[in-house]
Every structure is written in C-alpha cells, then in structure tokens.
Amino acid sequence: MRIRTSLTALGLTAALALAGCAETTSQSSGKVAASVPVADPVPAKVETVQIFNDVYGPVTDAGYALPAIPINRVNEKYRRQIVEFQTSERPGTIIVNTRERYLYYIMSGNRAVRYGIGVGKAGFAWAGEAYVAWKQEWPMWHPPKEMADRKPEVAKYVEAGMGPGLTNPLGARAMYLFNEKGQDTLFRIHGSPEWASIGTAASSGCIRMINQDVIDLYSRVRPGRSSKVIVIQ
C-alpha cells in the first residue's frame, strides 16, 4: 500500500505559477510573495567525512523497481556524503545551495548529509526561506496550465494528473514547500528519473534529486513549520 504523508514549505520569485514540476492545488492561486534574500549559511570550507558510493543500486520500493544509477558517470562531488558543516542552524534544517548544486540536511555534531541536486533553469530560479508542509511517496504529477501552454503534450495531465511510476517527473518522493503565510509556493524537493541532470540547471524551478537520494532525505524530514528550508542563490 502506498503511504501518503503530509508536510509544508517556502517563499520565492514571481515566476511561481510556471514551475513545471509543481502540482497545482486548490489551496494555492500560484501568486506567492517574491523571495527575500537570505544570508549565506554555508561555511567557507566543507570537508567530506564519508562518501556513499554503494547506495545507488537497484531498489524495489512500494512495488516499483528503481533501476541502478551508473554512479561512475555521476561526478563524485554530487554523490551522497557526510560532511563537516559548521552552522548555527539547528539539526533538521535543509539548506539548498543552488550555486554549488548541493542540498544539505543538517545533523548534530557539526555535520550534514550532502546530496547533489538539479536546480531551476534561468527564469525559474528562486531563493528564500520556507518549510516542508507535507510529503508524499510516489506522488501524482499535475503540471500547471502554463506549462501545458508551452508543452501541449502534457496538457492531459493538468486535471487528471500523471500517476506514480518510474517516468513520473516527481520521482519516488516529493516534499512540498510552503511560505511563512502557509501558502503553497508550488515548488518541491523531489526525485527524478533523469539522474544525468543532477549538477545542472535543468528543472522548471524545483529541486530535483536522484531517486535513491530523495528516498533517504524523505526518511529524515519531519513535516511542519519546524522543518526549515533555506534556499540560496
């Protein structure tokens, strides 16, 4: 049985309704306040403690058979690893460094789990603070109407949605980001079948991860206003 869990998220740019990875919801008009610049919380020097090269094999999850990732074709810096990370942010905080294409999950003891990510293309970039309002395993994908205007082939999914599966653009997990007013930003942290896009600016604004990595991050995140997300450009 597929489990559907809940969470929330953050604040950002004016092009929100165009987020191609986003689901449209009855809770959101797509008009969310623009992002506010935040101080860079990433230390000047981040040193690797451990790299996980053996976690990208085939995975059967909720009946879906995720294929192995050819990890030798993924730059080592974008593979999951534990790093030394000095920060004043409390454990459980997520820091997304879009410049470096990293997502950090802060742990205790001045350490963090670092994952490689794909980020938004020019015109879809965003920054600010949010929280994970809810999260979902093997989510449905509902592209916004604006995306259907650009890509008529996805128009059939605007209302009906694309069911979960290996080709779903949201991948194996999705975490939904809301701003401080409790509004859906339409941006997500999610998995992706396009592992080769990690380390690039290829998405429509959302934060995409290798499916094996997003499953790991999902298991650590506890939705709610305390699940702070900081996105820096």
Side-chain angles (χ1 to χ4, degrees):
M1 181 175 71
R2 299 183 187 103
I3 301 170
R4 295 175 183 252
T5 326
S6 291
L7 53 145
T8 94
L10 62 156
L12 53 173
T13 68
L16 296 178
L18 302 180
C21 65
E23 292 189 349
T24 52
T25 71
S26 60
Q27 298 173 315
S28 174
S29 66
K31 298 179 180 178
V32 182
S35 60
V36 177
V38 294
D40 189 338
V42 178
K45 188 174 183 180
V46 177
E47 294 190 0
T48 298
V49 175
Q50 181 181 5
I51 297 179
F52 299 94
N53 291 320
D54 59 351
V55 296
Y56 296 102
V59 175
T60 299
D61 182 82
Y64 298 103
L66 287 168
I69 304 300
I71 199 60
N72 290 337
R73 295 170 60 186
V74 176
N75 191 310
E76 186 176 81
K77 67 182 182 180
Y78 296 130
R79 302 174 197 173
R80 190 191 316 168
Q81 49 198 276
I82 303 296
V83 297
E84 296 285 355
F85 197 95
Q86 299 281 341
T87 180
S88 60
E89 298 295 338
R90 66 182 181 179
T93 298
I94 292 173
I95 298 174
V96 179
N97 186 331
T98 60
R99 298 190 305 268
E100 301 292 336
R101 313 292 198 257
Y102 296 141
L103 182 152
Y104 297 92
Y105 179 84
I106 305 303
M107 302 191 299
S108 59
N110 295 317
R111 292 191 174 186
V113 187
R114 190 179 80 187
Y115 309 87
I117 59 172
V119 299
K121 295 177 287 189
F124 293 105
W126 55 274
E129 292 189 8
Y131 67 100
V132 177
W134 61 289
K135 64 181 183 178
Q136 189 171 343
E137 298 183 7
W138 293 99
M140 292 280 289
W141 179 58
H142 289 272
K145 293 180 180 178
E146 291 82 1
M147 185 178 187
D149 291 339
R150 302 194 309 274
K151 298 181 176 182
E153 66 272 19
V154 306
K156 61 184 177 181
Y157 299 122
V158 171
E159 297 297 332
M162 177 188 283
L166 299 181
T167 61
N168 187 300
L170 295 183
R173 303 286 190 274
M175 288 161 268
Y176 298 76
L177 306 182
F178 284 50
N179 65 18
E180 62 181 7
K181 295 181 179 179
Q183 298 169 312
D184 188 349
T185 64
L186 300 183
F187 284 87
R188 321 298 187 211
I189 298 170
H190 64 86
S192 173
E194 300 179 23
W195 60 266
S197 68
I198 301 305
T200 71
S203 77
S204 295
C206 296
I207 304 302
R208 61 170 62 175
M209 303 175 67
I210 293 173
N211 276 321
Q212 283 85 338
D213 282 343
V214 81
I215 289 172
D216 182 75
L217 176 64
Y218 183 100
S219 71
R220 300 174 187 273
V221 171
R222 299 293 177 265
R225 288 188 177 268
S226 62
S227 60
K228 185 178 181 181
V229 180
I230 302 172
V231 180
I232 56 176
Q233 291 288 351

